[in-house]
Amino acid sequence: EQIVVRIQGSGTYVAQQKYQSTLVEIRNIAEEIRARGHRHHSELHRLERVRANVMQARRFERPVGAWLFRSVIVHFENGLAIQVEDRHVNPQVAPDYLNQDFSSQTPNAYLMRVAPLQGVNFEIEACEPPPRIAEMLHMPASEPCLVLHRQTHSQGMVASVASLWHPASRYRFTGGF
């Protein structure tokens, strides 16, 4: 049941709980946390307008140098950092994105309201986080993260591209039909 961890020659220890998220649907992380009976809060690290580089322009099907919005937010569950959300947003589908108060709502909640989801593409990888991500998650940079890269579509265009970083020791993804 993953309640204890045994380390040969050292002893038996209580296992750190791994929070989980489903991939079958796109859910608001604050709602997921509340559904577990826990407390959500977030810290906004960045909210800005940026020019699309070559890779972003390709992902958004826009010209290089086109304006995008970017937010970087750390989400906490019961005071423990469980996700860094690094998101780029298409201003054509969410023109008021930079005017939102993301301490009272998540970007997901706002985007689902103004840009109803038409489709999604995603991939998951395990990798060591860059130092800044590790710092925001309060974890060693040598610890792996599970990273969900997600592209959402609305109004016939790419609405957002997000990289969601989770400490592998604290989080897991689940799914099923």
Coordinates of all heavy atoms in Angstrom, one line a residue, residues 58-137:
R58 N 6.0 27.9 -33.6 CA 5.6 26.6 -34.2 C 4.5 26.0 -33.5 O 3.4 25.6 -34.0 CB 6.8 25.6 -34.3 CG 6.5 24.4 -35.2 CD 7.7 23.5 -35.4 NE 9.0 24.2 -35.5 CZ 10.0 24.0 -34.7 NH1 9.9 23.1 -33.8 NH2 11.1 24.7 -34.8
R59 N 4.6 25.9 -32.1 CA 3.5 25.3 -31.3 C 2.2 26.1 -31.4 O 1.2 25.5 -31.4 CB 4.0 25.3 -29.8 CG 5.0 24.2 -29.6 CD 5.3 24.2 -28.1 NE 6.3 23.1 -27.8 CZ 7.1 23.1 -26.8 NH1 7.1 24.0 -25.9 NH2 7.9 22.1 -26.6
F60 N 2.3 27.4 -31.4 CA 1.1 28.2 -31.5 C 0.6 28.5 -32.9 O -0.4 29.2 -33.1 CB 1.3 29.6 -30.7 CG 1.2 29.4 -29.2 CD1 2.3 29.2 -28.5 CD2 -0.1 29.6 -28.6 CE1 2.2 29.1 -27.1 CE2 -0.2 29.5 -27.3 CZ 0.9 29.2 -26.5
E61 N 1.4 28.0 -33.9 CA 1.0 28.3 -35.3 C 0.9 29.8 -35.5 O -0.1 30.3 -36.1 CB -0.2 27.5 -35.7 CG -0.1 26.0 -35.5 CD -1.4 25.3 -35.6 OE1 -2.5 25.9 -35.7 OE2 -1.3 24.0 -35.5
R62 N 1.9 30.5 -35.0 CA 1.9 32.0 -35.1 C 3.3 32.4 -35.6 O 4.2 31.6 -35.5 CB 1.6 32.7 -33.8 CG 0.2 32.2 -33.3 CD -0.3 33.1 -32.2 NE -0.5 34.5 -32.7 CZ -0.6 35.5 -31.9 NH1 -0.6 35.4 -30.6 NH2 -0.7 36.7 -32.4
P63 N 3.5 33.6 -36.1 CA 4.8 34.0 -36.5 C 5.8 34.2 -35.4 O 5.4 34.5 -34.3 CB 4.5 35.4 -37.3 CG 3.2 35.8 -36.9 CD 2.4 34.6 -36.3
V64 N 7.1 34.0 -35.7 CA 8.1 34.3 -34.7 C 8.0 35.8 -34.4 O 7.8 36.6 -35.2 CB 9.5 34.0 -35.3 CG1 10.6 34.5 -34.4 CG2 9.7 32.5 -35.6
G65 N 8.1 36.1 -33.1 CA 8.0 37.4 -32.6 C 6.6 37.9 -32.2 O 6.4 38.9 -31.7
A66 N 5.6 37.0 -32.5 CA 4.2 37.3 -32.1 C 4.1 37.4 -30.6 O 4.8 36.7 -29.9 CB 3.2 36.3 -32.7
W67 N 3.2 38.2 -30.1 CA 3.0 38.3 -28.7 C 2.3 37.1 -28.1 O 1.4 36.6 -28.7 CB 2.3 39.6 -28.3 CG 3.0 40.8 -28.5 CD1 2.8 41.8 -29.4 CD2 4.1 41.3 -27.7 NE1 3.7 42.8 -29.3 CE2 4.5 42.5 -28.2 CE3 4.8 40.7 -26.6 CZ2 5.6 43.2 -27.7 CZ3 5.9 41.5 -26.1 CH2 6.3 42.7 -26.6
L68 N 2.8 36.6 -26.9 CA 2.2 35.6 -26.1 C 2.2 36.1 -24.7 O 2.9 37.0 -24.3 CB 3.0 34.3 -26.2 CG 3.2 33.6 -27.5 CD1 4.1 32.4 -27.4 CD2 1.8 33.1 -28.0
F69 N 1.3 35.5 -23.9 CA 1.3 35.8 -22.5 C 2.0 34.6 -21.8 O 1.9 33.5 -22.2 CB -0.1 36.0 -21.9 CG -0.9 37.1 -22.5 CD1 -2.2 37.0 -22.8 CD2 -0.3 38.3 -22.8 CE1 -3.0 38.1 -23.3 CE2 -0.9 39.4 -23.4 CZ -2.3 39.2 -23.6
R70 N 2.7 34.9 -20.6 CA 3.3 33.8 -19.9 C 3.1 34.0 -18.4 O 3.1 35.1 -17.9 CB 4.8 33.9 -20.1 CG 5.6 32.7 -19.4 CD 7.0 32.8 -19.6 NE 7.7 31.6 -19.0 CZ 8.9 31.6 -18.5 NH1 9.7 32.7 -18.7 NH2 9.4 30.6 -17.9
S71 N 2.8 32.9 -17.8 CA 2.7 32.9 -16.3 C 3.5 31.8 -15.8 O 3.6 30.7 -16.4 CB 1.2 32.8 -15.9 OG 0.6 31.6 -16.4
V72 N 4.1 32.0 -14.6 CA 4.8 30.9 -13.9 C 4.2 31.0 -12.4 O 4.3 32.0 -11.8 CB 6.3 31.1 -13.9 CG1 7.0 30.0 -13.0 CG2 6.8 31.1 -15.3
I73 N 3.6 29.9 -12.0 CA 2.9 29.8 -10.8 C 3.3 28.5 -10.1 O 3.4 27.4 -10.7 CB 1.4 29.8 -11.0 CG1 1.0 31.1 -11.6 CG2 0.7 29.6 -9.6 CD1 -0.5 31.2 -12.0
V74 N 3.6 28.6 -8.8 CA 3.8 27.4 -7.9 C 2.6 27.1 -7.2 O 2.0 28.0 -6.5 CB 5.0 27.6 -7.0 CG1 5.3 26.3 -6.2 CG2 6.3 28.0 -7.7
H75 N 2.1 25.8 -7.3 CA 0.9 25.4 -6.5 C 1.3 24.5 -5.4 O 2.3 23.7 -5.5 CB 0.0 24.6 -7.5 CG -0.5 25.4 -8.6 ND1 -1.6 26.2 -8.5 CD2 -0.1 25.5 -9.9 CE1 -1.9 26.8 -9.6 NE2 -1.0 26.4 -10.5
F76 N 0.7 24.8 -4.2 CA 1.0 24.1 -3.0 C -0.2 23.3 -2.5 O -1.3 23.7 -2.6 CB 1.4 25.1 -1.9 CG 2.6 25.8 -2.2 CD1 2.6 26.9 -3.0 CD2 3.8 25.5 -1.6 CE1 3.8 27.7 -3.2 CE2 5.0 26.2 -1.8 CZ 5.0 27.3 -2.7
E77 N 0.1 22.1 -1.9 CA -0.9 21.3 -1.3 C -0.5 21.2 0.2 O 0.5 20.7 0.5 CB -1.0 19.9 -1.9 CG -2.1 19.1 -1.3 CD -2.5 17.9 -2.2 OE1 -2.1 17.8 -3.4 OE2 -3.3 17.1 -1.8
N78 N -1.4 21.7 1.1 CA -1.1 21.7 2.5 C 0.3 22.3 2.8 O 1.0 21.8 3.6 CB -1.3 20.3 3.1 CG -2.7 19.9 3.2 OD1 -3.6 20.7 3.1 ND2 -2.9 18.6 3.4
G79 N 0.7 23.3 2.1 CA 1.9 24.0 2.3 C 3.1 23.4 1.6 O 4.2 23.9 1.7
L80 N 2.9 22.3 0.9 CA 4.0 21.6 0.2 C 3.9 21.9 -1.3 O 2.9 21.6 -1.9 CB 3.9 20.1 0.5 CG 5.0 19.2 -0.1 CD1 6.3 19.5 0.6 CD2 4.6 17.7 0.1
A81 N 5.0 22.3 -1.9 CA 5.0 22.6 -3.3 C 4.9 21.3 -4.1 O 5.7 20.4 -3.9 CB 6.3 23.4 -3.7
I82 N 3.9 21.3 -5.0 CA 3.7 20.0 -5.7 C 3.7 20.3 -7.2 O 3.7 19.3 -8.0 CB 2.4 19.3 -5.3 CG1 1.2 20.1 -5.6 CG2 2.5 18.8 -3.9 CD1 -0.1 19.3 -5.6
Q83 N 3.6 21.5 -7.7 CA 3.6 21.8 -9.1 C 4.1 23.2 -9.4 O 3.7 24.2 -8.8 CB 2.2 21.7 -9.7 CG 2.1 21.9 -11.2 CD 0.7 21.9 -11.7 OE1 0.1 23.0 -11.7 NE2 0.1 20.8 -12.0
V84 N 5.0 23.3 -10.4 CA 5.3 24.6 -11.1 C 4.6 24.5 -12.4 O 4.9 23.6 -13.2 CB 6.9 24.8 -11.2 CG1 7.1 26.0 -12.1 CG2 7.5 24.9 -9.9
E85 N 3.8 25.5 -12.6 CA 3.0 25.6 -13.9 C 3.7 26.8 -14.7 O 3.6 27.9 -14.3 CB 1.6 26.0 -13.5 CG 0.7 26.3 -14.7 CD -0.7 26.8 -14.3 OE1 -1.1 26.6 -13.2 OE2 -1.3 27.5 -15.2
D86 N 4.3 26.4 -15.8 CA 4.9 27.4 -16.7 C 4.1 27.4 -17.9 O 4.1 26.5 -18.7 CB 6.4 27.0 -17.0 CG 7.1 28.1 -17.7 OD1 6.5 29.1 -18.2 OD2 8.4 28.0 -17.8
R87 N 3.3 28.4 -18.1 CA 2.3 28.4 -19.2 C 2.4 29.6 -20.1 O 2.6 30.8 -19.7 CB 0.9 28.5 -18.5 CG -0.3 28.4 -19.5 CD -1.6 28.6 -18.8 NE -1.9 27.6 -17.8 CZ -2.5 26.5 -18.1 NH1 -3.0 26.2 -19.3 NH2 -2.8 25.6 -17.1
H88 N 2.3 29.4 -21.4 CA 2.2 30.4 -22.4 C 0.8 30.4 -23.0 O 0.2 29.3 -23.2 CB 3.2 30.2 -23.6 CG 4.6 30.5 -23.2 ND1 5.4 29.6 -22.5 CD2 5.4 31.6 -23.3 CE1 6.6 30.1 -22.3 NE2 6.6 31.4 -22.7
V89 N 0.2 31.6 -23.2 CA -1.2 31.7 -23.6 C -1.3 32.5 -24.9 O -0.6 33.6 -25.0 CB -2.0 32.3 -22.5 CG1 -3.5 32.5 -22.9 CG2 -2.0 31.4 -21.2
N90 N -2.2 32.1 -25.8 CA -2.5 32.9 -27.0 C -3.4 34.0 -26.6 O -4.5 33.8 -26.2 CB -3.1 31.9 -28.0 CG -3.4 32.5 -29.3 OD1 -3.4 33.8 -29.5 ND2 -3.6 31.7 -30.3
P91 N -2.9 35.3 -26.8 CA -3.7 36.5 -26.5 C -5.0 36.5 -27.4 O -6.0 37.2 -27.0 CB -2.8 37.6 -26.9 CG -1.5 37.1 -26.9 CD -1.6 35.7 -27.3
Q92 N -5.1 35.8 -28.5 CA -6.3 35.9 -29.3 C -7.4 35.1 -28.7 O -8.6 35.4 -28.9 CB -6.0 35.2 -30.7 CG -5.0 36.1 -31.5 CD -4.7 35.4 -32.8 OE1 -4.2 34.2 -32.9 NE2 -5.0 36.1 -33.9
V93 N -7.2 34.2 -27.8 CA -8.2 33.4 -27.1 C -8.5 33.9 -25.7 O -9.5 33.6 -25.1 CB -8.0 31.9 -27.2 CG1 -8.0 31.3 -28.6 CG2 -6.8 31.5 -26.4
A94 N -7.5 34.6 -25.1 CA -7.6 35.1 -23.8 C -7.0 36.5 -23.6 O -6.0 36.6 -23.0 CB -7.0 34.1 -22.8
P95 N -7.6 37.5 -24.3 CA -7.0 38.8 -24.3 C -6.8 39.5 -22.9 O -5.9 40.3 -22.8 CB -7.9 39.6 -25.2 CG -9.2 38.9 -25.2 CD -8.8 37.5 -25.0
D96 N -7.6 39.1 -21.9 CA -7.5 39.7 -20.6 C -6.6 38.9 -19.6 O -6.7 39.1 -18.4 CB -8.9 39.9 -20.0 CG -9.6 41.0 -20.8 OD1 -9.0 41.9 -21.3 OD2 -10.9 40.9 -20.9
Y97 N -5.9 37.9 -20.1 CA -5.1 37.0 -19.2 C -4.2 37.7 -18.3 O -4.2 37.4 -17.1 CB -4.3 36.1 -20.1 CG -3.6 34.9 -19.4 CD1 -4.3 33.8 -19.0 CD2 -2.3 35.0 -19.0 CE1 -3.7 32.8 -18.3 CE2 -1.7 34.0 -18.3 CZ -2.4 32.8 -18.0 OH -1.8 31.8 -17.3
L98 N -3.5 38.8 -18.7 CA -2.6 39.5 -17.8 C -3.3 40.3 -16.7 O -2.6 40.7 -15.8 CB -1.7 40.4 -18.7 CG -0.7 39.7 -19.6 CD1 0.1 40.8 -20.3 CD2 0.2 38.7 -18.9
N99 N -4.6 40.5 -16.9 CA -5.3 41.3 -15.9 C -6.0 40.4 -14.8 O -6.7 41.0 -14.0 CB -6.4 42.1 -16.6 CG -5.8 43.1 -17.6 OD1 -4.8 43.7 -17.3 ND2 -6.5 43.3 -18.7
Q100 N -5.7 39.1 -14.8 CA -6.4 38.2 -13.9 C -5.6 38.2 -12.5 O -4.4 38.4 -12.5 CB -6.5 36.8 -14.5 CG -7.2 36.8 -15.8 CD -8.6 37.5 -15.7 OE1 -9.4 37.1 -14.8 NE2 -8.8 38.5 -16.5
D101 N -6.4 37.9 -11.5 CA -5.8 37.7 -10.1 C -5.6 36.2 -9.9 O -6.6 35.5 -9.6 CB -6.7 38.3 -9.1 CG -6.2 38.1 -7.7 OD1 -5.1 37.5 -7.5 OD2 -7.0 38.4 -6.7
F102 N -4.4 35.7 -10.2 CA -4.2 34.3 -10.1 C -4.0 33.8 -8.6 O -3.7 32.6 -8.4 CB -3.1 33.8 -11.0 CG -3.6 33.9 -12.5 CD1 -2.8 34.7 -13.4 CD2 -4.7 33.3 -12.9 CE1 -3.2 34.8 -14.7 CE2 -5.1 33.4 -14.2 CZ -4.4 34.1 -15.1
S103 N -4.2 34.7 -7.7 CA -4.2 34.2 -6.3 C -5.6 33.8 -5.9 O -5.8 33.0 -4.9 CB -3.7 35.3 -5.3 OG -4.6 36.4 -5.4
S104 N -6.6 34.2 -6.6 CA -8.0 33.9 -6.3 C -8.6 32.9 -7.3 O -9.6 32.3 -7.1 CB -8.9 35.1 -6.3 OG -9.0 35.7 -7.6
Q105 N -7.9 32.6 -8.4 CA -8.3 31.6 -9.4 C -7.1 31.1 -10.1 O -6.1 31.8 -10.2 CB -9.3 32.2 -10.4 CG -8.7 33.1 -11.4 CD -9.7 33.6 -12.4 OE1 -10.7 32.9 -12.8 NE2 -9.5 34.8 -13.0
T106 N -7.1 29.9 -10.6 CA -6.0 29.3 -11.3 C -6.1 29.7 -12.8 O -7.2 30.0 -13.3 CB -6.0 27.8 -11.2 OG1 -7.1 27.3 -11.8 CG2 -5.9 27.3 -9.8
P107 N -5.0 29.7 -13.5 CA -5.1 29.9 -15.0 C -6.1 29.0 -15.6 O -6.8 29.3 -16.5 CB -3.7 29.8 -15.5 CG -2.9 30.2 -14.3 CD -3.6 29.7 -13.1
N108 N -6.1 27.7 -15.2 CA -7.0 26.7 -15.8 C -8.4 27.1 -15.6 O -9.2 27.1 -16.6 CB -6.7 25.4 -15.1 CG -7.8 24.3 -15.5 OD1 -8.9 24.3 -15.0 ND2 -7.4 23.5 -16.5
A109 N -8.8 27.6 -14.4 CA -10.2 28.0 -14.2 C -10.6 29.2 -15.1 O -11.7 29.2 -15.7 CB -10.4 28.4 -12.7
Y110 N -9.7 30.1 -15.2 CA -9.9 31.3 -16.1 C -10.1 30.9 -17.6 O -11.0 31.2 -18.3 CB -8.8 32.3 -15.9 CG -8.9 33.4 -17.0 CD1 -9.9 34.4 -16.9 CD2 -8.0 33.5 -18.0 CE1 -10.0 35.4 -17.9 CE2 -8.1 34.5 -19.0 CZ -9.1 35.4 -18.9 OH -9.2 36.4 -19.9
L111 N -9.1 30.1 -18.0 CA -9.1 29.7 -19.4 C -10.3 28.8 -19.8 O -10.8 28.9 -20.9 CB -7.8 29.0 -19.8 CG -6.6 29.9 -19.8 CD1 -5.3 29.1 -19.9 CD2 -6.7 30.9 -21.0
M112 N -10.7 27.9 -18.9 CA -11.9 27.0 -19.2 C -13.1 27.9 -19.3 O -14.0 27.5 -20.1 CB -12.0 26.0 -18.1 CG -10.9 25.0 -18.1 SD -10.8 24.0 -19.6 CE -11.6 22.5 -19.1
R113 N -13.2 29.0 -18.7 CA -14.3 29.9 -18.7 C -14.3 30.7 -20.0 O -15.3 30.8 -20.7 CB -14.3 30.8 -17.5 CG -15.6 31.6 -17.4 CD -15.7 32.4 -16.1 NE -14.8 33.5 -16.0 CZ -13.7 33.4 -15.2 NH1 -13.4 32.4 -14.4 NH2 -12.8 34.5 -15.2
V114 N -13.2 31.3 -20.4 CA -13.1 32.2 -21.6 C -12.8 31.5 -22.9 O -13.0 32.0 -24.0 CB -12.2 33.4 -21.4 CG1 -12.6 34.2 -20.1 CG2 -10.7 33.0 -21.3
A115 N -12.1 30.3 -22.8 CA -11.7 29.6 -24.0 C -12.0 28.1 -23.8 O -11.2 27.3 -23.6 CB -10.2 29.8 -24.2
P116 N -13.3 27.7 -24.0 CA -13.7 26.3 -23.7 C -12.9 25.4 -24.6 O -12.6 25.6 -25.7 CB -15.2 26.3 -24.2 CG -15.6 27.7 -24.0 CD -14.4 28.6 -24.3
L117 N -12.5 24.3 -23.9 CA -11.6 23.3 -24.5 C -12.2 22.6 -25.6 O -13.3 22.1 -25.6 CB -11.2 22.3 -23.3 CG -10.1 21.4 -23.6 CD1 -8.8 22.1 -23.8 CD2 -10.0 20.4 -22.5
Q118 N -11.4 22.5 -26.8 CA -11.8 21.7 -27.9 C -11.0 20.5 -28.1 O -11.4 19.5 -28.7 CB -11.7 22.6 -29.2 CG -12.8 23.7 -29.3 CD -12.6 24.5 -30.6 OE1 -11.5 24.7 -31.0 NE2 -13.7 24.9 -31.1
G119 N -9.7 20.6 -27.6 CA -8.8 19.4 -27.7 C -7.6 19.6 -26.9 O -7.3 20.7 -26.5
V120 N -6.8 18.6 -26.8 CA -5.6 18.6 -26.0 C -4.6 17.6 -26.6 O -5.0 16.5 -27.0 CB -5.8 18.4 -24.5 CG1 -6.4 17.0 -24.2 CG2 -4.6 18.7 -23.7
N121 N -3.3 18.0 -26.5 CA -2.2 17.1 -26.8 C -1.3 17.1 -25.6 O -1.1 18.2 -25.0 CB -1.4 17.5 -28.1 CG -2.3 17.5 -29.3 OD1 -3.1 16.7 -29.6 ND2 -2.1 18.6 -30.1
F122 N -0.7 16.0 -25.2 CA 0.2 16.0 -24.1 C 1.2 14.9 -24.2 O 1.0 13.9 -24.9 CB -0.6 15.9 -22.8 CG -1.3 14.6 -22.5 CD1 -0.6 13.5 -22.0 CD2 -2.6 14.4 -22.9 CE1 -1.2 12.3 -21.8 CE2 -3.2 13.2 -22.7 CZ -2.6 12.2 -22.1
E123 N 2.3 15.1 -23.4 CA 3.3 14.1 -23.3 C 3.9 14.3 -21.9 O 3.8 15.3 -21.3 CB 4.4 14.2 -24.3 CG 5.2 15.4 -24.3 CD 6.3 15.5 -25.4 OE1 6.0 15.1 -26.5 OE2 7.4 16.0 -25.0
I124 N 4.3 13.1 -21.3 CA 4.9 13.2 -20.0 C 6.3 12.6 -20.1 O 6.6 11.7 -20.8 CB 4.1 12.3 -19.0 CG1 2.7 12.8 -18.9 CG2 4.8 12.2 -17.6 CD1 1.8 11.8 -18.1
E125 N 7.2 13.3 -19.3 CA 8.6 12.8 -19.3 C 9.1 12.9 -17.8 O 8.6 13.7 -17.1 CB 9.5 13.6 -20.2 CG 9.7 15.0 -19.9 CD 10.7 15.8 -20.8 OE1 11.7 15.1 -21.2 OE2 10.6 17.0 -20.9
A126 N 10.1 12.1 -17.5 CA 10.8 12.2 -16.2 C 12.2 12.8 -16.5 O 12.9 12.4 -17.4 CB 10.9 10.9 -15.6
C127 N 12.5 13.9 -15.8 CA 13.8 14.5 -16.0 C 14.2 15.3 -14.7 O 13.4 15.6 -13.9 CB 13.8 15.4 -17.2 SG 12.7 16.7 -17.1
E128 N 15.5 15.6 -14.6 CA 15.9 16.5 -13.6 C 15.5 17.9 -13.9 O 15.6 18.3 -15.0 CB 17.5 16.4 -13.4 CG 18.0 15.1 -12.8 CD 19.5 15.1 -12.6 OE1 20.1 16.1 -12.8 OE2 20.0 14.1 -12.1
P129 N 15.0 18.6 -12.9 CA 14.6 20.0 -13.1 C 15.7 21.0 -13.3 O 16.8 20.8 -12.7 CB 13.7 20.3 -11.9 CG 14.4 19.5 -10.8 CD 14.9 18.2 -11.5
P130 N 15.5 22.0 -14.0 CA 16.5 23.1 -14.0 C 16.6 23.7 -12.6 O 15.6 23.6 -11.8 CB 15.9 24.2 -15.0 CG 14.9 23.5 -15.8 CD 14.4 22.3 -14.9
P131 N 17.7 24.3 -12.2 CA 17.9 24.8 -10.8 C 16.7 25.7 -10.4 O 16.3 25.6 -9.2 CB 19.2 25.5 -10.9 CG 20.0 24.9 -12.0 CD 18.9 24.5 -13.0
R132 N 16.2 26.5 -11.2 CA 15.2 27.5 -10.8 C 13.9 26.7 -10.5 O 13.2 27.0 -9.5 CB 14.9 28.5 -11.9 CG 13.8 29.5 -11.6 CD 14.3 30.5 -10.5 NE 13.2 31.4 -10.2 CZ 12.8 31.6 -8.9 NH1 13.3 31.1 -7.9 NH2 11.8 32.4 -8.7
I133 N 13.5 25.7 -11.3 CA 12.3 24.9 -11.0 C 12.5 24.1 -9.7 O 11.6 24.1 -8.8 CB 12.1 23.9 -12.1 CG1 11.8 24.7 -13.4 CG2 10.9 22.9 -11.8 CD1 10.4 25.4 -13.5
A134 N 13.7 23.5 -9.5 CA 14.0 22.8 -8.2 C 13.8 23.7 -7.0 O 13.3 23.4 -6.0 CB 15.4 22.2 -8.3
E135 N 14.3 24.9 -7.2 CA 14.2 25.9 -6.1 C 12.8 26.3 -5.8 O 12.4 26.3 -4.6 CB 15.0 27.2 -6.5 CG 15.0 28.3 -5.5 CD 15.7 29.5 -6.0 OE1 16.8 29.4 -6.6 OE2 15.2 30.6 -5.7
M136 N 12.0 26.5 -6.8 CA 10.6 26.8 -6.6 C 9.8 25.6 -5.9 O 8.9 25.8 -5.2 CB 9.9 27.2 -7.9 CG 10.3 28.6 -8.4 SD 9.3 29.1 -9.8 CE 10.1 28.3 -11.1
L137 N 10.2 24.4 -6.2 CA 9.6 23.2 -5.7 C 10.2 22.8 -4.3 O 9.8 21.8 -3.7 CB 9.7 22.0 -6.7 CG 8.8 22.2 -7.9 CD1 9.1 21.1 -8.9 CD2 7.3 22.1 -7.5

